[in-house]
Amino acid sequence: MADFKSMSKDRIIKGAEELFFRYGIKSVTMDDIARHLGISKKTIYRSFKEKDEIVNLLMQLSIEEDKKQFRQIADSAQNVVDEVFKMMQCLTSIISKLNPVIFYDLQKYHPSAWSLFVKFKSDFILHMVEETITKGIKQGYVRSDLNPRILARLRVEEIEMGFNPKVFPPDKFKMLEVQLALMEHFLYGICTLKGHKLVNKYKQITEEE
């Protein structure tokens, strides 16, 4: 019975995620999730008291998956530039599936889930970026005159700014393009000449010195 309940809960989470990614969170109701899965709303309420509970669990699962992916990228990357380009690919894979309104919905209607994302950003992401910059300095691809702690905070704030609909309205900007542009701009800003050359090599462009 417990296994069935767990399987049912996983199925509900997966179905809700599919709808949230496609339509945003606010516009999706418990009825929509039930219809999408071909089950009764009562079945959903056996596992979740309300939609907010589904959103919170989804955020927790998403953060754990992101942590795993980011660690794998950091461990497998040949150098700091390779790491950032792999992060870009990962970001493309994640954001390309999302309706941009999802971040607005999280901030406005699901503050507890949003606070989980903010904590993830200010703890895990901040630490990873600082670690990457420090590693890049040792490799000679990142400028040694930089303060990793300061630049890591700048990068983390850039990420959140890219999701801010007041700064980048979804009807005028594509979220993925914004995040990739900010990441690339940051990378060029911290790199040495040796780092710039490697970035250009990854981008397959030739620049006159």
Side-chain angles (χ1 to χ4, degrees), residues 1 6 11 22 35 87-88 98 113 118 127 129 132 136 138 141 144 146 157 167 177 189 192 206 209:
M1 186 72 175
S6 173
R11 189 173 167 229
R22 200 177 307 159
R35 249 191 320 270
M87 284 289 184
M88 285 182 174
L98 298 177
V118 171
H127 175 72
V129 174
T132 298
K138 290 176 183 174
Y141 294 114
S144 59
L146 299 180
E157 290 308 309
V167 181
E177 285 183 13
T192 58
T206 306
E209 294 184 18

Side-chain angles (χ1 to χ4, degrees), residues 32-119:
D32 293 328
I33 298 169
R35 249 191 320 270
H36 179 63
L37 293 170
I39 60 176
S40 70
K41 195 161 65 169
K42 189 177 177 182
T43 303
I44 296 177
Y45 281 117
R46 284 198 198 105
S47 298
F48 300 98
K49 295 176 189 173
E50 56 187 356
K51 187 170 77 170
D52 195 56
E53 197 177 329
I54 296 177
V55 175
N56 277 339
L57 183 54
L58 256 174
M59 179 60 78
Q60 289 170 30
L61 294 172
S62 175
I63 285 171
E64 287 310 308
E65 182 59 30
D66 288 348
K67 282 181 179 179
K68 194 193 304 178
Q69 281 191 349
F70 294 162
R71 284 195 189 102
Q72 285 174 348
I73 289 170
D75 291 342
S76 65
Q78 297 173 27
N79 52 63
V80 65
V81 175
D82 184 46
E83 185 174 331
V84 172
F85 273 86
K86 282 180 176 174
M87 284 289 184
M88 285 182 174
Q89 289 174 351
C90 182
L91 198 64
T92 300
S93 173
I94 294 169
I95 295 181
S96 61
K97 302 172 189 172
L98 298 177
N99 184 320
V101 77
I102 201 168
F103 289 96
Y104 175 78
D105 287 350
L106 279 169
Q107 291 179 68
K108 187 164 184 181
Y109 304 107
H110 301 277
S112 56
W114 181 250
S115 68
L116 290 173
F117 173 74
V118 171
K119 187 174 186 330

Side-chain angles (χ1 to χ4, degrees), residues 122-134:
S122 59
D123 291 350
F124 182 83
I125 297 293
L126 182 66
H127 175 72
M128 274 209 74
V129 174
E130 189 176 329
E131 209 173 65
T132 298
I133 293 171
T134 303

Side-chain angles (χ1 to χ4, degrees), residues 3-19:
D3 288 342
F4 174 77
K5 189 175 180 182
S6 173
M7 187 166 50
S8 174
K9 201 168 185 176
D10 290 343
R11 189 173 167 229
I12 292 165
I13 282 289
K14 182 66 180 169
E17 181 182 51
E18 289 168 359
L19 292 179

